[in-house]
Amino acid sequence: MAPPFSLSPDIATTLARLTCHLNHLPQGAPSSPVISNMICWKMDRELQQLAAANKATYTRYVDDITFSTSENVFPSALGEIKLNKCIVGQSLESVILANGFSINAGKVRLQYHRSRQEVTGLIVNTKVNVRRGFVSQLRVMLHDW
């Protein structure tokens, strides 16, 4: 019902009834990515602006958020390493929390350009690729099949 969609309560309720099961958005449903994008629309806009202000690129896949930059130093507004621990920057944290989301501190990481950069299980350094172990496991499964 919130902007920019501003749906009436009747339409919002009808959509919720059509797409939810036991008051939850089911994982894997065809409607889930579209609804996820609608829910994150405002946050995505704000994170795009934050990324641009810090010479970074913002991408999101469902609930995995990635910031990348070609700058030599990662912007502290987005994140930094303190006492061998990756800490989300205050500007980034405030946008996420203001939009009703939380941060899983155990999944926050900072990857340098010389290390293997993995996002949602894909290696993204120079070209999109997968781990060798995955390829080996897939070969074995196909052979067994």
Side-chain angles (χ1 to χ4, degrees):
M1 295 185 333
F5 305 105
S6 302
L7 300 174
S8 71
D10 289 342
I11 292 173
T13 302
T14 301
L15 283 174
R17 286 183 178 158
L18 285 171
T19 57
C20 292
H21 178 67
L22 301 175
N23 292 325
H24 289 87
L25 187 61
Q27 210 173 2
S31 56
S32 296
V34 174
I35 294 168
S36 168
N37 288 340
M38 289 174 72
I39 291 168
C40 293
W41 186 85
K42 179 177 171 277
M43 182 181 71
D44 285 340
R45 246 187 47 240
E46 293 172 4
L47 292 178
Q48 282 283 27
Q49 292 171 347
L50 180 62
N54 287 280
K55 298 180 182 175
T57 302
Y58 162 73
T59 53
R60 179 181 60 82
Y61 179 74
V62 188
D63 63 346
D64 290 326
I65 294 175
T66 303
F67 289 92
S68 49
T69 183
S70 56
E71 297 293 308
N72 290 330
V73 178
F74 196 77
S76 61
L78 302 177
E80 58 188 329
I81 295 184
K82 288 184 180 175
L83 303 171
N84 280 342
K85 188 176 178 186
C86 190
I87 306 294
V88 173
Q90 191 165 357
S91 298
L92 174 57
E93 183 176 24
S94 66
V95 169
I96 292 171
L97 296 178
N99 281 279
F101 294 94
S102 61
I103 298 169
N104 183 344
K107 290 188 174 183
V108 175
R109 59 192 172 170
L110 193 57
Q111 301 172 342
Y112 295 97
H113 73 281
R114 290 199 169 114
S115 65
R116 181 174 73 188
Q117 299 171 0
E118 194 171 334
V119 178
T120 65
L122 299 174
I123 300 167
V124 295
N125 286 53
T126 54
K127 64 177 185 167
V128 178
N129 212 338
V130 294
R131 292 178 288 109
R132 278 182 203 228
F134 175 77
V135 174
S136 298
Q137 183 182 16
L138 184 60
R139 275 196 185 119
V140 169
M141 288 170 32
L142 288 172
H143 176 73
D144 290 345
W145 184 59

